[in-house]
Amino acid sequence: MIKELSHLIVVTGHYGSGKTNLSVNLAMDLRAQGEKVVVVDLDIVNPYFRTADFVELFGSQGIEVINPEFANTNLDLPVVNPKIYSAFNQPDSYVIFDVGGDDDGAIALGQYAHLFSQHAYSMLYVVNRYRHVDPDVEEAVGLLRRIEASSRLKVTGIINNSHLSEETGPETVLESIRYAKEISSLSGVPLLGTAVKEDVAQALSGQVEHLYPVKRYVKTLWEK
């Protein structure tokens, strides 16, 4: 899956989809492959699960983190860190943008749309079938479209990150595939892969296309 991504990678999705954990895994895996990596934290929606929380981990691996400060009263007016602009001029690095959940979070991303338009980029929409008891495919596609409208960018790929935290098993993942494929079919956006915990991924080898084994870096509040 990683081989298909551009050097500018935007990670979006519903709050609770697991987009930050995916962002951390992408950064760590790319770095392990010898790539230079920059992580830009644009999550102004959720103060508890942010890539900025992994500054120490990233620093130990030589991964740069750009963490802008945001105004507390208006999502439309984040305090811009000038380093974000420099991230678009690092062709030898992978730059991962972790964007706040839902369409409100994409507003901060939109101010850089003119810069993204000058480069090839991958914009990933992360979905979790178990985020709701009764997941609604049309609602998920509706959010995808609102994120595109707010950011003025196009989603280029869907990542199925359906999980039940530590209760996730092979059946959990297998039951989510249809949901992810329906979102892909309705939106016209390709399903690039399914992110699965490493131990579960081993059990699913050969059963699911484009598996992406991930570590669980992001913990719940009661685990911290």
Side-chain angles (χ1 to χ4, degrees), residues 24-44:
V24 176
N25 273 275
L26 288 173
M28 295 293 285
D29 288 346
L30 285 166
R31 186 63 186 132
Q33 294 176 15
E35 303 288 353
K36 295 181 180 179
V37 181
V38 178
V39 175
V40 179
D41 185 349
L42 282 180
D43 193 341
I44 62 176

Side-chain angles (χ1 to χ4, degrees), residues 17-158:
S17 64
K19 63 179 185 56
T20 292
N21 196 68
L22 179 69
S23 297
V24 176
N25 273 275
L26 288 173
M28 295 293 285
D29 288 346
L30 285 166
R31 186 63 186 132
Q33 294 176 15
E35 303 288 353
K36 295 181 180 179
V37 181
V38 178
V39 175
V40 179
D41 185 349
L42 282 180
D43 193 341
I44 62 176
V45 174
N46 185 4
Y48 300 110
F49 303 105
R50 301 177 56 176
T51 43
D53 295 334
F54 299 92
V55 170
E56 185 174 342
L57 172 65
F58 288 152
S60 69
Q61 301 300 315
I63 297 172
E64 180 184 356
V65 179
I66 299 177
N67 180 27
E69 297 180 1
F70 295 95
N72 293 324
T73 57
N74 192 330
L75 292 179
D76 292 310
L77 298 174
V79 178
V80 176
N81 187 330
K83 287 186 177 181
I84 294 179
Y85 292 101
S86 68
F88 289 90
N89 296 311
Q90 300 189 40
D92 60 338
S93 299
Y94 278 87
V95 184
I96 301 171
F97 295 80
D98 181 19
V99 181
D102 303 347
D103 46 327
D104 284 340
I107 292 174
L109 182 65
Q111 65 184 317
Y112 306 106
H114 66 291
L115 296 175
F116 278 103
S117 67
Q118 300 173 27
H119 304 272
Y121 66 87
S122 296
M123 186 162 169
L124 308 179
Y125 181 60
V126 184
V127 300
N128 179 3
R129 182 233 182 276
Y130 303 103
R131 188 176 166 275
H132 292 302
V133 176
D134 295 310
D136 188 319
V137 171
E138 292 186 355
E139 188 256 352
V141 174
L143 173 62
L144 184 156
R145 297 307 182 204
R146 294 196 300 275
I147 287 174
E148 289 182 326
S150 295
S151 66
R152 289 173 285 155
L153 299 172
K154 287 293 184 181
V155 172
T156 62
I158 293 169

Side-chain angles (χ1 to χ4, degrees), residues 130 160 162 168-177 194 196 200 204:
Y130 303 103
N160 177 24
S162 297
T168 304
E171 297 79 11
T172 308
V173 179
L174 291 173
E175 291 174 1
S176 72
I177 300 300
T194 295
V196 186
V200 178
L204 288 172

Side-chain angles (χ1 to χ4, degrees), residues 176-186 191 209:
S176 72
I177 300 300
R178 180 179 177 182
Y179 171 72
K181 287 184 175 180
E182 287 179 351
I183 294 174
S184 174
S185 177
L186 186 59
L191 176 60
E209 291 183 326

Side-chain angles (χ1 to χ4, degrees), residues 21-22 25 29 196-198 213-218:
N21 196 68
L22 179 69
N25 273 275
D29 288 346
V196 186
K197 289 195 309 175
E198 289 178 326
V214 296
K215 292 182 172 64
R216 186 166 173 250
Y217 289 104
V218 177

